[in-house]
Amino acid sequence: MGQDTVGTCSISKRIHMPKGGDSYDKLGIEPVDPGASGNNTVWDFAHVVAAGTTSHVSYVSLGDSVLVKIEGGTQHTYKIEGDSMMLTIRETSLSMMRASVPPLCMIYPLTYGDSIVSRTYINGSYCDNNGVAEAGTLAVKADGWGTLILPDDTLHDVLRIHTRETSRVWVAESCSMQPIRESDDSLMVKTYDVWQWYSPSYRYPLAEVMVTSIQTGDSAMTESATAFLCPPPMQEYVISTVSKPTRDSGSASQESSGNLDGESIVTGLSFAIGREEARVTFIPTAEAEAQLVLSDILGRVYSAMTRRKAYAGLEFSDRVDTSQLPSGDYVLRLQVGEEILLERFTIK
């Protein structure tokens, strides 16, 4: 279940700044209304509909001051300066765009009511032939704080951040473009809105809603929207938690095992996933309470075993029934003391 261990209405660098080596999946859902802004707001995502898609996100560090985000065929390169993140490069298979003055995308801490506004000027190439330039503003605001209701979880002290990028876009027949003049006619006007919901206990957003609006010349504005959930069972980034990347067992009846690093009190960890049951076995190096929880990737809990004492040096084992589960993707969540370990698997 969600862990609201820090009662605050801000996000911090220590907990929420993305880190190189992190990797996680987002579950696509049918687009939803991002809801209202303001204090003590309730956002209800309890009845969202899965869209049948996922998006994989990973981060790579290039030294101490450069961080690359890779998602859906797009790479964003950020420059890290102290408590700030600035966008320097946006790259796809068809385009390469560089910011001549990197806009400020985030500054930590960001507290409810705080806002950041930057001018943007980004230019580059499209299909290696056409020059492209964008000029506008990037505005980031912590516009809401309250309670987020997920399909099988409710989290409090959730901060919503609304990012709006508004830009005019020009295209030239060559890659060497002249500097943009504000009086020049633009090819189109683009607005990109992103709403993200952050818990104090998890590094990455629990939910995202994205809306892109484009107007070309005198034509009517077109809109497209996408939305994602990344509920607590899909995130191993928890305060005071030693975590390892989730292992995807791929299909039923597949067993995976491995030892964690020296910081963990869990050794000899093994998950055995079958069509009748899922079993976990480990040996703790210190006494702690342990609990096994089975949920789907939307966070809906199917089974939560009773917390039991695990004794140092003695093998601990627990199981959940999987025989009645419909086909789909699931998550086993093992909590041992303050550690949370996840195992994703598929029932066919």
Side-chain angles (χ1 to χ4, degrees):
M1 301 295 286
Q3 298 195 7
D4 274 337
T5 58
V6 181
T8 182
C9 52
S10 66
I11 59 173
S12 68
K13 178 180 179 180
R14 179 179 69 87
I15 298 169
H16 297 96
M17 178 178 276
K19 290 180 171 54
D22 282 357
S23 176
Y24 66 98
D25 291 318
K26 302 188 303 187
L27 175 69
I29 59 174
E30 295 297 328
V32 294
D33 190 314
S37 59
N39 194 10
N40 292 320
T41 303
V42 176
W43 300 284
D44 190 351
F45 285 23
H47 304 290
V48 295
V49 177
T53 60
T54 59
S55 180
H56 185 72
V57 183
S58 60
Y59 287 89
V60 178
S61 292
L62 302 178
D64 295 333
S65 61
V66 178
L67 184 68
V68 180
K69 176 185 179 182
I70 304 168
E71 179 181 4
T74 300
Q75 290 190 184
H76 291 85
T77 300
Y78 298 95
K79 181 180 181 182
I80 309 297
E81 282 191 358
D83 296 331
S84 302
M85 289 181 63
M86 292 163 284
L87 177 67
T88 58
I89 300 173
R90 184 175 69 232
E91 182 179 2
T92 70
S93 60
L94 297 177
S95 64
M96 166 69 81
M97 305 291 289
R98 295 179 181 272
S100 57
V101 179
L104 187 60
C105 301
M106 182 56 66
I107 186 166
Y108 299 95
L110 193 72
T111 302
Y112 171 63
D114 288 350
S115 60
I116 309 164
V117 180
S118 303
R119 293 282 294 173
T120 61
Y121 178 71
I122 304 172
N123 63 1
S125 62
Y126 178 77
C127 293
D128 294 326
N129 295 318
N130 299 106
V132 182
E134 301 178 8
T137 59
L138 180 68
V140 181
K141 184 174 183 179
D143 73 344
W145 172 68
T147 299
L148 177 65
I149 303 174
L150 296 176
D152 199 71
D153 208 351
T154 298
L155 296 102
H156 305 284
D157 296 324
V158 171
L159 184 70
R160 189 179 79 170
I161 297 176
H162 178 199
T163 301
R164 167 170 285 188
E165 182 179 1
T166 304
S167 57
R168 296 164 63 195
V169 182
W170 292 258
V171 176
E173 293 182 357
S174 68
C175 292
S176 57
M177 295 190 67
Q178 298 297 318
I180 292 174
R181 299 187 303 272
E182 292 295 330
S183 60
D184 287 344
D185 292 333
S186 57
L187 176 69
M188 64 181 179
V189 177
K190 179 176 67 175
T191 302
Y192 183 53
D193 285 291
V194 182
W195 291 267
Q196 297 174 306
W197 286 261
Y198 286 88
S199 162
S201 303
Y202 295 90
R203 184 173 301 158
Y204 296 106
L206 298 164
E208 295 180 328
V209 175
M210 290 156 277
V211 177
T212 301
S213 305
I214 296 176
Q215 176 141 26
T216 304
D218 296 327
S219 63
M221 180 175 293
T222 60
E223 276 194 0
S224 60
T226 54
F228 295 93
L229 288 187
C230 190
M234 296 179 71
Q235 294 201 43
E236 64 266 37
Y237 309 101
V238 184
I239 295 173
S240 302
T241 295
V242 178
S243 58
K244 299 293 284 183
T246 301
R247 298 182 302 278
D248 188 355
S249 25
S251 62
S253 301
Q254 181 170 348
E255 181 174 328
S256 60
S257 63
N259 292 332
L260 301 183
D261 55 39
E263 294 181 86
S264 174
I265 67 169
V266 177
T267 63
L269 175 65
S270 174
F271 287 97
I273 312 297
R275 194 60 186 89
E276 298 300 318
E277 69 173 23
R279 181 176 293 275
V280 61
T281 305
F282 66 93
I283 300 174
T285 60
E287 183 177 305
E289 284 195 343
Q291 183 184 34
L292 187 63
V293 177
L294 170 66
S295 68
D296 64 16
I297 58 175
L298 272 174
R300 288 184 286 253
V301 173
Y302 282 79
S303 180
M305 308 309 293
T306 302
R307 290 181 182 273
R308 293 167 46 203
K309 188 79 74 176
Y311 295 96
L314 299 180
E315 183 177 270
F316 180 97
S317 181
D318 207 350
R319 61 172 292 279
V320 293
D321 185 3
T322 60
S323 62
Q324 303 302 312
L325 293 178
S327 299
D329 295 320
Y330 297 91
V331 178
L332 278 175
R333 182 178 187 267
L334 172 66
Q335 180 164 359
V336 184
E338 292 299 315
E339 297 184 35
I340 293 178
L341 305 147
L342 305 178
E343 178 74 357
R344 292 187 59 189
F345 65 97
T346 300
I347 293 291
K348 294 184 178 179

